[in-house]
Amino acid sequence: MSVSYWAAVRTGLPHATMVVNHLYVVQLANKMLSTVRRPLRGRRRRAADPAWRAARPA
């Protein structure tokens, strides 16, 4: 699925049909979602987080 792989195949085999296994697409999407969610998950409900501290009733 990388750009360099697609370019190499297009150069060497210009009439080939490109196929990607859907399981790899889902796996890559899950990895990207995890990298986005992990930093947010660590900051929630911490006293060190200014947004959390401001939202707490005094």
Side-chain angles (χ1 to χ4, degrees):
M1 291 188 307
S2 70
V3 175
S4 57
Y5 174 78
W6 285 79
V9 171
R10 284 284 168 224
T11 303
L13 304 165
H15 300 292
T17 301
M18 300 294 284
V19 178
V20 177
N21 188 338
H22 73 278
L23 296 175
Y24 292 116
V25 175
V26 172
Q27 180 183 29
L28 182 61
N30 284 333
K31 280 184 184 179
M32 292 299 115
L33 282 174
S34 293
T35 58
V36 169
R37 277 190 269 157
R38 279 195 188 127
L40 296 176
R41 190 178 297 164
R43 282 191 62 196
R44 291 183 185 161
R45 299 191 187 113
R46 281 191 172 170
D49 183 4
W52 182 82
R53 192 176 291 156
R56 286 183 68 198

